[in-house]
Amino acid sequence: MVSIPSELIESLRHAKHVVATTGAGVSAESGVPTFRDAQTGLWAKYEPTELAAPRAFHKDPKLVWEWYQWRRDKVLSVHPNPGHYALVELGSRWPKFDLITQNVDGLHQQAGSQNVIELHGSIMTARCFDRGHQSEFWPESSEQCPPVCEICASLMRPNVVWFNESLPKRAIDEAMRASRECDVFFSIGTSSIVYPAAALATNALESGAVVIEINPNETPLTSMATYSIVGPSGIVLPELLAKLAGEFR
Ligand code: BV8
């Protein structure tokens, strides 16, 4: 049983605009390794932040492409967990709700969340590195690794935002605005160390929102958050939903 303060439920009862921001932790209970988990197998000797960068792709495009192929195969083999589904339900409880994610796995959409703001792109599709030509499907190619663009023959890359690449302008602008306008801001399953995503919670705090962190571990946000619920999101979010349902009945 997770301890959720009654004042927190009260804040949610009166909220008009709620924002939830998620990180890799929300997919952990689906079996997707978090971003900073010890990499398994072949990838044990690489730091994710060293692979998720243009420099790494230029240095060894085959290695980086294979890393994403491995991650994408993993994501395609799992399903959303109770935390993803609880966020779908929670999303319908307030007049305005924004779901913002750093995740590239598409599991929120698979669970049924609409209008998900993907800050760091998606591992589901690819584009060419030089000209950005989008490929409708993930290019499978046995001859070449990475596959090449059918239009300009430059190397294909996953549609994710790498370190030292700018986030999609519309996504980050929408997320920044939502974090400044909301009454309640959830930070769920993120280490809160990657920027500009990590700035959303402090934006919300500075704008007077109630900030609720859900994470089994401490992060740089924990000491600043209004509430910190220590636990896995796949357990905490359904419990929160049940308490709210009880409240609203
Ligand atoms: C940019 C996509 C401008 C690729 C990713 C300000 C200060 C300091 C540094 C910077 C700054 N501004 C910019 C930077 C540089 C950099 C940065 O932030 N570096 C960090 C490392 C210090 N940021 C950038 O480069 C960004 N771009 O600013 O552009 C620019 C333009 C040109 C030139 C220069 C700058 C781009 C950042 C995006 C990078 N791409 N992903 C891919 O996925 O391969 S980031 C990557 O980290 C993932 O997206 C991931 O989502 C994200 C954050 O990680 P988390 O999601 O938090 O995952 P993590 O594993 O860290 O933590 C999991 C958490 O879950 C833990 O807390 C754990 O306790 C918890 N957990 C575990 N189990 C559960 C759980 N929680 C709940 N339930 C559970 N069951």
Short mmCIF file of all heavy atoms in Angstrom, two decimals, residues 157-184:
data_model
loop_
_atom_site.label_atom_id
_atom_site.label_comp_id
_atom_site.label_asym_id
_atom_site.label_seq_id
_atom_site.Cartn_x
_atom_site.Cartn_y
_atom_site.Cartn_z
N ARG A 157 18.63 7.23 -39.83
CA ARG A 157 18.85 7.34 -38.37
C ARG A 157 17.48 7.28 -37.70
O ARG A 157 16.47 7.62 -38.32
CB ARG A 157 19.53 8.63 -37.99
CG ARG A 157 18.79 9.87 -38.52
CD ARG A 157 19.12 11.13 -37.82
NE ARG A 157 18.62 11.15 -36.45
CZ ARG A 157 18.93 12.11 -35.56
NH1 ARG A 157 19.73 13.08 -35.90
NH2 ARG A 157 18.45 12.09 -34.34
N PRO A 158 17.38 6.90 -36.44
CA PRO A 158 16.08 6.87 -35.77
C PRO A 158 15.56 8.29 -35.55
O PRO A 158 16.36 9.23 -35.45
CB PRO A 158 16.37 6.18 -34.43
CG PRO A 158 17.83 6.34 -34.21
CD PRO A 158 18.47 6.40 -35.56
N ASN A 159 14.24 8.43 -35.46
CA ASN A 159 13.61 9.75 -35.29
C ASN A 159 13.62 10.21 -33.84
O ASN A 159 12.63 10.72 -33.33
CB ASN A 159 12.15 9.68 -35.77
CG ASN A 159 12.01 10.28 -37.16
OD1 ASN A 159 12.81 11.15 -37.54
ND2 ASN A 159 11.04 9.82 -37.90
N VAL A 160 14.76 10.01 -33.16
CA VAL A 160 14.87 10.45 -31.76
C VAL A 160 15.72 11.70 -31.69
O VAL A 160 16.46 12.02 -32.63
CB VAL A 160 15.48 9.35 -30.87
CG1 VAL A 160 14.61 8.10 -30.85
CG2 VAL A 160 16.91 9.04 -31.30
N VAL A 161 15.62 12.44 -30.57
CA VAL A 161 16.45 13.63 -30.35
C VAL A 161 17.71 13.17 -29.62
O VAL A 161 17.61 12.67 -28.49
CB VAL A 161 15.71 14.68 -29.50
CG1 VAL A 161 16.61 15.89 -29.22
CG2 VAL A 161 14.41 15.10 -30.17
N TRP A 162 18.85 13.35 -30.22
CA TRP A 162 20.10 12.96 -29.57
C TRP A 162 20.62 14.08 -28.67
O TRP A 162 20.17 15.22 -28.75
CB TRP A 162 21.14 12.62 -30.65
CG TRP A 162 20.94 11.22 -31.19
CD1 TRP A 162 20.40 10.14 -30.55
CD2 TRP A 162 21.30 10.75 -32.50
NE1 TRP A 162 20.39 9.04 -31.38
CE2 TRP A 162 20.94 9.37 -32.56
CE3 TRP A 162 21.89 11.32 -33.61
CZ2 TRP A 162 21.16 8.59 -33.69
CZ3 TRP A 162 22.11 10.54 -34.75
CH2 TRP A 162 21.74 9.19 -34.78
N PHE A 163 21.56 13.78 -27.81
CA PHE A 163 22.20 14.81 -27.00
C PHE A 163 22.86 15.82 -27.95
O PHE A 163 23.38 15.45 -29.00
CB PHE A 163 23.21 14.19 -26.04
CG PHE A 163 22.53 13.48 -24.90
CD1 PHE A 163 22.34 12.11 -24.93
CD2 PHE A 163 22.01 14.20 -23.82
CE1 PHE A 163 21.67 11.46 -23.91
CE2 PHE A 163 21.34 13.56 -22.79
CZ PHE A 163 21.17 12.19 -22.84
N ASN A 164 22.77 17.08 -27.53
CA ASN A 164 23.27 18.21 -28.34
C ASN A 164 22.48 18.41 -29.62
O ASN A 164 22.95 19.08 -30.54
CB ASN A 164 24.77 18.06 -28.66
CG ASN A 164 25.58 18.27 -27.38
OD1 ASN A 164 25.15 19.01 -26.48
ND2 ASN A 164 26.69 17.59 -27.26
N GLU A 165 21.28 17.84 -29.69
CA GLU A 165 20.35 18.18 -30.77
C GLU A 165 19.18 18.92 -30.15
O GLU A 165 18.80 18.62 -29.00
CB GLU A 165 19.85 16.91 -31.48
CG GLU A 165 20.89 16.26 -32.37
CD GLU A 165 20.31 15.14 -33.23
OE1 GLU A 165 19.38 14.42 -32.76
OE2 GLU A 165 20.79 14.95 -34.35
N SER A 166 18.61 19.86 -30.87
CA SER A 166 17.47 20.62 -30.32
C SER A 166 16.23 19.75 -30.30
O SER A 166 16.04 18.90 -31.17
CB SER A 166 17.20 21.84 -31.20
OG SER A 166 18.38 22.61 -31.23
N LEU A 167 15.37 20.01 -29.30
CA LEU A 167 14.10 19.28 -29.23
C LEU A 167 13.15 19.87 -30.28
O LEU A 167 13.33 21.02 -30.69
CB LEU A 167 13.49 19.44 -27.84
CG LEU A 167 13.99 18.49 -26.75
CD1 LEU A 167 15.48 18.62 -26.50
CD2 LEU A 167 13.22 18.64 -25.46
N PRO A 168 12.14 19.09 -30.70
CA PRO A 168 11.17 19.63 -31.67
C PRO A 168 10.54 20.91 -31.08
O PRO A 168 10.03 20.86 -29.94
CB PRO A 168 10.15 18.51 -31.80
CG PRO A 168 10.79 17.28 -31.28
CD PRO A 168 11.81 17.73 -30.26
N LYS A 169 10.58 22.02 -31.80
CA LYS A 169 10.19 23.32 -31.25
C LYS A 169 8.75 23.29 -30.71
O LYS A 169 8.47 23.72 -29.61
CB LYS A 169 10.34 24.40 -32.32
CG LYS A 169 9.99 25.81 -31.83
CD LYS A 169 10.46 26.93 -32.71
CE LYS A 169 9.99 28.32 -32.19
NZ LYS A 169 9.34 28.39 -30.91
N ARG A 170 7.85 22.71 -31.52
CA ARG A 170 6.43 22.71 -31.11
C ARG A 170 6.26 21.93 -29.80
O ARG A 170 5.59 22.37 -28.87
CB ARG A 170 5.59 22.08 -32.23
CG ARG A 170 4.13 22.09 -31.90
CD ARG A 170 3.23 22.13 -33.12
NE ARG A 170 1.87 21.94 -32.65
CZ ARG A 170 1.06 20.97 -33.09
NH1 ARG A 170 1.46 20.19 -34.07
NH2 ARG A 170 -0.15 20.83 -32.60
N ALA A 171 6.96 20.80 -29.70
CA ALA A 171 6.81 19.94 -28.51
C ALA A 171 7.31 20.68 -27.27
O ALA A 171 6.61 20.76 -26.24
CB ALA A 171 7.57 18.63 -28.72
N ILE A 172 8.51 21.25 -27.33
CA ILE A 172 9.06 21.89 -26.12
C ILE A 172 8.30 23.18 -25.80
O ILE A 172 8.06 23.47 -24.61
CB ILE A 172 10.58 22.10 -26.23
CG1 ILE A 172 11.17 22.52 -24.85
CG2 ILE A 172 10.94 23.10 -27.32
CD1 ILE A 172 11.03 21.49 -23.76
N ASP A 173 7.85 23.91 -26.82
CA ASP A 173 7.07 25.13 -26.54
C ASP A 173 5.75 24.78 -25.85
O ASP A 173 5.36 25.40 -24.85
CB ASP A 173 6.77 25.90 -27.84
CG ASP A 173 8.02 26.58 -28.40
OD1 ASP A 173 9.07 26.56 -27.70
OD2 ASP A 173 7.97 27.11 -29.53
N GLU A 174 5.07 23.75 -26.37
CA GLU A 174 3.80 23.31 -25.76
C GLU A 174 4.04 22.83 -24.33
O GLU A 174 3.30 23.17 -23.40
CB GLU A 174 3.21 22.13 -26.56
CG GLU A 174 2.23 22.52 -27.64
CD GLU A 174 1.68 21.26 -28.34
OE1 GLU A 174 1.29 20.30 -27.62
OE2 GLU A 174 1.67 21.24 -29.57
N ALA A 175 5.12 22.09 -24.13
CA ALA A 175 5.41 21.55 -22.79
C ALA A 175 5.74 22.67 -21.81
O ALA A 175 5.26 22.68 -20.67
CB ALA A 175 6.57 20.55 -22.89
N MET A 176 6.54 23.64 -22.25
CA MET A 176 6.90 24.76 -21.38
C MET A 176 5.65 25.55 -21.00
O MET A 176 5.43 25.87 -19.83
CB MET A 176 7.91 25.68 -22.10
CG MET A 176 9.31 25.11 -22.19
SD MET A 176 10.08 24.99 -20.54
CE MET A 176 11.65 24.22 -20.97
N ARG A 177 4.79 25.79 -21.97
CA ARG A 177 3.57 26.56 -21.67
C ARG A 177 2.69 25.79 -20.68
O ARG A 177 2.23 26.33 -19.68
CB ARG A 177 2.79 26.86 -22.96
CG ARG A 177 1.59 27.79 -22.72
CD ARG A 177 0.88 28.25 -23.98
NE ARG A 177 0.51 27.14 -24.83
CZ ARG A 177 1.13 26.84 -25.98
NH1 ARG A 177 2.14 27.60 -26.39
NH2 ARG A 177 0.76 25.82 -26.72
N ALA A 178 2.51 24.51 -20.95
CA ALA A 178 1.66 23.69 -20.05
C ALA A 178 2.22 23.69 -18.64
O ALA A 178 1.47 23.81 -17.66
CB ALA A 178 1.56 22.27 -20.60
N SER A 179 3.54 23.59 -18.51
CA SER A 179 4.14 23.53 -17.16
C SER A 179 3.94 24.85 -16.41
O SER A 179 3.87 24.88 -15.18
CB SER A 179 5.64 23.20 -17.25
OG SER A 179 6.35 24.27 -17.84
N ARG A 180 3.83 25.95 -17.16
CA ARG A 180 3.64 27.26 -16.48
C ARG A 180 2.18 27.52 -16.15
O ARG A 180 1.86 28.31 -15.28
CB ARG A 180 4.17 28.37 -17.40
CG ARG A 180 5.68 28.60 -17.28
CD ARG A 180 6.08 29.92 -17.92
NE ARG A 180 5.97 29.82 -19.37
CZ ARG A 180 6.97 29.36 -20.16
NH1 ARG A 180 8.10 28.97 -19.61
NH2 ARG A 180 6.83 29.28 -21.46
N GLU A 181 1.25 26.85 -16.88
CA GLU A 181 -0.18 27.17 -16.72
C GLU A 181 -0.92 26.19 -15.81
O GLU A 181 -2.03 26.48 -15.38
CB GLU A 181 -0.87 27.19 -18.10
CG GLU A 181 -0.39 28.34 -18.98
CD GLU A 181 -0.94 28.24 -20.41
OE1 GLU A 181 -1.63 27.23 -20.71
OE2 GLU A 181 -0.67 29.15 -21.20
N CYS A 182 -0.33 25.05 -15.51
CA CYS A 182 -1.11 24.00 -14.83
C CYS A 182 -1.24 24.26 -13.32
O CYS A 182 -0.48 25.03 -12.74
CB CYS A 182 -0.45 22.63 -15.05
SG CYS A 182 1.19 22.50 -14.32
N ASP A 183 -2.24 23.59 -12.71
CA ASP A 183 -2.42 23.68 -11.24
C ASP A 183 -1.60 22.60 -10.56
O ASP A 183 -1.13 22.75 -9.45
CB ASP A 183 -3.89 23.41 -10.84
CG ASP A 183 -4.87 24.19 -11.68
OD1 ASP A 183 -4.69 25.42 -11.75
OD2 ASP A 183 -5.77 23.57 -12.28
N VAL A 184 -1.55 21.41 -11.23
CA VAL A 184 -0.82 20.28 -10.64
C VAL A 184 0.09 19.68 -11.72
O VAL A 184 -0.32 19.53 -12.87
CB VAL A 184 -1.79 19.18 -10.14
CG1 VAL A 184 -1.00 17.98 -9.60
CG2 VAL A 184 -2.71 19.73 -9.05
#
